[in-house]
Amino acid sequence: MIGRAFSAIFWGIVADRIGRKPVIVFSILSVVIFNTLFGLSTEYWMAIATRLVLGSLNGLLAPIKVNTAWGFGLVIGPALGGYLAQPAEKYPQIFSKESVFGRFPYFLPCVAVSLLAAIVLISCIWMPETIHKHKSPEKDIQKVKALPSEQSYLDSPRKKSLLQNWPWMSTMVSYCFFGLHDTAYSEILSLWAVSDRKYGGLSFSSEDIGGVLAVAGASLLVYQLIIYHWVHKFLGPVISSRVASALSILIVSTYPFMTYLSGAKLSFALYSAAMMRSVVAITASTGISLLQNHAVRQDQRGTANGISTTAMSFFKAIAPIGAGYLFSWAQKHQDSTFFPVILGSNLI
């Protein structure tokens, strides 16, 4: 996220200048290379370095925002991570400890993702360029100038500089704070679920939490493809984003109480909450993305998305650090009067 924060504006400007397709192709190629290197990391500094470079070279969020594809990734990604990590331990009859997958226990899910990215890279051959750079005949220019709506369009906020475009600025602020909330949730959910029950967790395995995340991603995909259209039609992006953001807070607040449950009741509560949380998250993020794109002109969208991605990446960079610190502090202070009921009771 730090790498993305430094480079997002650059990629947005490049997308507006030379086209969306070259940026997308280069970004996917960087995923293929540096995601594979991440799986081959043997030192912590190498893992950090490969992610930093990948974030810096990946400009996908400047030219495209496809939340349905994000939902599809949430189905595939957790399953790959949960079932393919440490294959020599989980599937010793297939992968030996002396093989490359035994020496690099997280290489298999990374190379699987890289192969998927390589397939997408090949498919980019048939992807059309969407940036419009047409030379209009003089008579067409005169017709456009004669339109009565010209002056109102020129005076609208969309024609001003981005920093003076207050509708776009307000959506960017919402985009950043919801990104902070969403990233903190995503990072802590897995840590909380795999933590021992004496620390307020659920004592889940990596396969268990991978299943929860995969089901949540599947529900998100179904909702985005079938239901969201009607939500957008009846509520609009503003109201739907507000309602979804409020519901997200309520849903996340129910997670600590799940430590009192077990068996089928726990599965039902956790799966239901995870699916609902995915639905409201995609509702809010899609609504905010639509508002952002509607607030700027077509030739400014790459730069606008680059700026918003830079700001959002900064918030997403501090989210895992801040959320992880608070989570660790909470686990070490379960007997504090600040957590007298929810966490403290698990020590009894």
Side-chain angles (χ1 to χ4, degrees):
M1 291 299 172
I2 294 175
R4 182 185 294 175
F6 281 114
S7 65
I9 296 178
F10 166 78
W11 289 118
I13 295 174
V14 171
D16 282 339
R17 294 282 179 85
I18 69 173
R20 322 301 195 206
K21 185 174 179 178
V23 174
I24 294 173
V25 170
F26 183 83
S27 298
I28 297 175
L29 178 62
S30 69
V31 172
V32 174
I33 297 173
F34 290 98
N35 190 67
T36 303
L37 292 177
F38 178 73
L40 294 173
S41 301
T42 55
E43 300 288 342
Y44 185 63
W45 69 265
M46 182 178 178
I48 292 294
T50 53
R51 297 299 291 177
L52 178 66
V53 176
L54 177 57
S56 301
L57 299 180
N58 192 337
L60 280 176
L61 288 184
I64 56 173
K65 286 183 181 178
V66 187
N67 287 327
T68 302
W70 178 262
F72 182 72
L74 289 179
V75 178
I76 302 297
L80 289 175
Y83 293 103
L84 298 185
Q86 300 175 318
E89 297 181 11
K90 296 177 181 177
Y91 316 109
Q93 66 278 11
I94 302 177
F95 304 97
S96 66
K97 293 185 177 181
E98 290 74 24
S99 66
V100 64
F101 300 109
R103 290 183 288 116
F104 302 98
Y106 299 97
F107 178 62
L108 183 58
C110 288
V111 75
V113 172
S114 296
L115 289 175
L116 290 175
I119 295 173
V120 176
L121 182 63
I122 296 172
S123 69
C124 287
I125 297 174
W126 298 276
M127 181 176 63
E129 177 58 68
T130 59
I131 192 170
H132 303 300
K133 293 183 178 179
H134 304 299
K135 294 183 178 179
S136 302
E138 184 64 27
K139 61 178 182 179
D140 292 339
I141 296 176
Q142 293 176 355
K143 289 180 180 179
V144 172
K145 289 182 177 180
L147 293 176
S149 61
E150 179 201 5
Q151 190 59 42
S152 61
Y153 175 74
L154 290 173
D155 293 337
S156 67
R158 291 159 57 96
K159 289 294 292 182
K160 298 178 180 178
S161 68
L162 290 175
L163 297 181
Q164 293 177 319
N165 189 333
W166 297 114
W168 175 76
M169 291 287 289
S170 63
T171 58
M172 187 180 69
V173 173
S174 301
Y175 187 51
C176 291
F177 279 101
F178 191 81
L180 174 71
H181 165 76
D182 192 49
T183 304
Y185 167 83
S186 300
E187 293 292 329
I188 295 304
L189 177 62
S190 298
L191 295 176
W192 168 71
V194 301
S195 296
D196 195 277
R197 281 189 173 266
K198 67 180 181 179
Y199 296 116
L202 299 178
S203 298
F204 272 23
S205 65
S206 60
E207 290 87 349
D208 293 332
I209 190 59
V212 173
L213 295 176
V215 170
S219 65
L220 182 155
L221 185 61
V222 172
Y223 170 80
Q224 185 79 1
L225 291 174
I226 301 175
I227 303 175
Y228 178 76
H229 168 74
W230 300 103
V231 174
H232 176 75
K233 180 179 180 180
F234 289 108
L235 296 180
V238 176
I239 297 178
S240 62
S241 297
R242 289 174 178 172
V243 173
S245 299
L247 290 177
S248 180
I249 297 173
L250 294 176
I251 294 171
V252 172
S253 299
T254 66
Y255 279 83
F257 297 98
M258 294 181 191
T259 56
Y260 296 107
L261 304 176
S262 61
K265 292 182 179 179
L266 173 60
S267 298
F268 176 78
L270 182 58
Y271 276 83
S272 299
M275 289 188 291
M276 289 188 292
R277 173 54 180 65
S278 295
V279 165
V280 297
I282 205 66
T283 300
S285 61
T286 302
I288 294 173
S289 296
L290 290 172
L291 291 171
Q292 279 188 323
N293 284 335
H294 290 164
V296 297
R297 297 175 318 191
Q298 192 271 347
D299 62 326
Q300 289 181 322
R301 287 177 184 171
T303 304
N305 285 338
I307 296 174
S308 61
T309 300
T310 295
M312 178 268 294
S313 297
F314 173 76
F315 279 80
K316 283 194 171 185
I318 64 176
I321 300 173
Y325 175 80
L326 288 175
F327 180 73
S328 177
W329 182 89
Q331 286 193 326
K332 296 176 181 177
H333 296 81
Q334 295 184 66
D335 56 346
S336 173
T337 56
F338 189 73
F339 304 106
V341 179
I342 297 176
L343 293 180
S345 61
N346 288 304
L347 295 176
I348 300 176

